[in-house]
């Protein structure tokens, strides 16, 4: 099995560790994981084919799970969830992640779409009554149908969706705004401190100051700021190194 | 693995630097880099003496090394902490990153650095 990184409860990126050891580290189906094949996407462990089986016990919730039967939560699934399912694979689309993970925000937009499209809604559920009395469009009244639908037994098998069930707050450290989905940008701290040890310039101090801002901005959720600080820390470390190189040249010329 | 390759390059660079600083004395070889601050102002910078200190330390003269630049006693361990935080990804690296390399500790480091800069020029050390 491949090596995976994962995000722990304090938003630290941990890894790489072999995939089969993930569950022993407290990784659940909703924990974000990443391996080299996944490009810039972090996925929930329950959505990764190779890992999915390890989180199988979470996949089939009880058919009569509370909450599933209420309102339009379940009713929205056949029409709307397939779209969500494909989206969830794209990982870091801005504005996407917070929505599916908050039950409140999830239900509301779903209800109208799911209910008002009879075609997409009724047929996959298989609950149309024989005899076709629901078929004529003019017969059904919207107010009549809605309370009945969630109680149809043929409906439930559609509901279990790995990675969806346990709502979790979004992980702030892995927001789509982040320019580098692998984690926080490098703070170039080694180079910054190295320039203060080896080099005599204020550039080293400036580099340290920017380096310290990288982590601070990152954990405050300011990903653009973290990237800026990272770039600045790098720039000043390079300035420092460049001045060092020039001084070597001056030394050589002076020695000739 | 990117990490091990990085570690390899750094190790190679450190080893070559050690060889160069062991063989040549910065005081007697003209082509070692000179401190631009000292060339321009005549003042010692906080790192002045580091090259001589490395040369002395590589020859086992640690007392001399310390006298060339006392700040290395702080700077080198701190550099080591930054290296640990940078190349590791375990518990130690995280602890180092959040405790030793916190913004407050960095400001203390900068304050010590500047204080040393002033003090060494006043006392001539």
């Amino acid at each position: 099995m491949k090596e995976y990184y994962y995000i722990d409860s304090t938003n630290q990126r941990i890894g790489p560790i072999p995939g089969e050891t993930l569950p022993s580290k407290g990784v659940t189906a909703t924990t974000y994981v990443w391996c080299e094949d996944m490009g810039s996407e972090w996925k929930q462990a329950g959505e990764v084919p190779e890992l999915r089986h390890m989180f199988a016990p979470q996949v089939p919730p009880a058919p009569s799970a509370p909450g599933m039967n209420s309102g339009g939560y379940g009713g929205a699934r056949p029409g709307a969830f397939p779209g969500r399912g494909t989206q969830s694979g794209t990982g870091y689309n801005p504005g996407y992640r917070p929505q599916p993970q908050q039950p409140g925000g999830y239900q509301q937009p779903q209800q109208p779409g799911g209910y008002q499209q009879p075609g997409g809604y009724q047929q996959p559920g298989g609950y149309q009554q024989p005899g076709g009395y629901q078929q004529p469009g003019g017969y059904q009244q919207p107010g009549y149908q809605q309370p009945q639908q969630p109680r149809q037994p043929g409906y439930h098998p559609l509901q279990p969706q790995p990675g969806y069930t346990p709502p979790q707050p979004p992980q702030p450290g892995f927001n789509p705004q982040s320019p580098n989905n692998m984690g926080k940008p490098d703070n170039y701290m080694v180079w910054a401190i190295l320039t203060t040890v080896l080099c005599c310039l204020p550039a080293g101090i400036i580099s340290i100051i920017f380096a310290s801002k990288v982590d601070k901005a990152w954990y405050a959720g300011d990903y653009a700021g973290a990237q800026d600080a990272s770039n600045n820390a790098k720039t000043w470390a390079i300035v420092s190194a460049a001045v060092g190189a020039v001084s070597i040249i001056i030394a050589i010329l002076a020695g000739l | 693995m990117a990490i091990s390759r990085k570690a390899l390059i750094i190790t190679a660079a450190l080893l070559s630097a050690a060889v160069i600083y062991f063989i040549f004395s910065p005081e007697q070889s003209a082509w070692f880099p000179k401190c631009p601050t000292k060339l321009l102002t005549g003042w010692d910078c906080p790192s002045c003496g580091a090259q001589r200190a490395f040369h002395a330390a590589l020859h086992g003269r640690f007392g001399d090394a310390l006298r060339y630049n006392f700040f290395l006693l702080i700077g080198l361990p701190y550099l080591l902490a930054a290296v640990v935080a940078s190349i590791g990804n375990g518990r130690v690296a995280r602890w180092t990153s959040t405790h030793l390399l916190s913004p407050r500790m960095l400001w203390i480091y900068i304050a010590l650095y500047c204080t040393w800069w002033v003090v060494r020029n006043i006392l001539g050390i």
Side-chain angles (χ1 to χ4, degrees), chain A residues 17-251:
Chain A
I17 62 168
E20 58 269 18
T21 65
L22 285 171
S24 68
K25 305 285 183 184
V27 171
T28 68
T30 54
T31 306
Y32 285 98
V33 299
W34 182 89
C35 73
E36 289 196 10
D37 297 352
M38 287 162 64
S40 62
E41 295 176 14
W42 284 76
K43 287 181 182 171
Q44 294 183 329
E47 295 171 351
V48 179
E50 189 185 37
L51 303 178
R52 190 174 290 151
H53 68 278
M54 291 192 293
F55 305 104
Q58 295 197 3
V59 173
S64 58
M68 287 301 188
N69 289 336
S70 64
Y73 189 92
R77 283 295 180 80
F81 198 82
R84 292 259 167 207
T86 53
Q87 271 190 13
S88 68
T90 62
Y92 283 87
N93 289 336
Y96 162 66
R97 174 131 303 142
Q99 293 174 5
Q101 297 187 341
Q102 294 167 3
Y106 175 73
Q107 291 184 15
Q108 288 164 9
Q110 298 299 328
Q111 287 177 357
Y115 275 124
Q116 293 168 6
Q117 298 173 357
Y121 175 61
Q122 298 176 355
Q123 285 157 13
Y127 55 74
Q128 284 184 342
Q129 304 293 326
Y133 81 97
Q134 285 188 344
Q135 304 280 358
Y139 174 78
Q140 284 186 320
Q141 295 180 6
Y144 162 72
Q145 203 179 16
Q146 283 178 12
Q148 267 201 350
Q149 286 164 358
R151 288 191 277 272
Q152 295 292 335
Y155 188 68
H156 293 298
L158 290 171
Q159 290 177 353
Q161 288 285 345
Y164 173 72
T165 335
Q168 261 192 352
Q171 306 266 9
F174 283 81
N175 192 287
Q177 296 168 12
S178 148
N180 174 1
N181 289 323
M182 270 299 291
K184 72 181 171 59
D186 194 346
N187 57 21
Y188 301 101
M189 188 68 80
V190 173
W191 302 109
I193 294 176
L194 191 65
T195 55
T196 65
V197 173
L198 295 184
C199 205
C200 38
L201 298 167
I205 296 176
I206 297 168
S207 192
I208 287 187
I209 292 170
F210 280 120
S212 76
K213 283 181 177 171
V214 173
D215 291 26
K216 202 175 168 185
W218 180 261
Y219 291 120
D222 179 8
Y223 309 111
Q227 189 62 54
D228 282 352
S230 173
N231 293 341
N232 281 327
K234 187 183 186 179
T235 302
W236 284 103
I238 291 172
V239 165
S240 214
V243 174
V246 168
S247 74
I248 292 175
I249 294 168
I250 291 174

Side-chain angles (χ1 to χ4, degrees), chain A residues 8 12 14-16 189-190 193-194 196-201 205 208-209 212 215-216 243-244 247-248 250-252 255, chain B residues 30-37 45 47 50 54 72 75-76 78-79 82-83 86 89 94 97 103 106-107 109-110 113-114:
Chain A
D8 74 2
Q12 293 280 344
I14 316 286
M189 188 68 80
V190 173
I193 294 176
L194 191 65
T196 65
V197 173
L198 295 184
C199 205
C200 38
L201 298 167
I205 296 176
I208 287 187
I209 292 170
S212 76
D215 291 26
K216 202 175 168 185
V243 174
S247 74
I248 292 175
I250 291 174
I252 291 173
Chain B
W31 46 270
F32 274 85
K34 300 287 183 291
C35 175
T37 306
C45 83
S47 311
F54 290 142
L72 292 177
L76 287 182
Y78 209 56
L79 179 65
V83 170
S86 165
N89 54 12
R94 246 177 302 157
S97 177
L106 287 165
W107 279 112
Y109 178 80
I110 292 171
Y113 184 78
C114 295

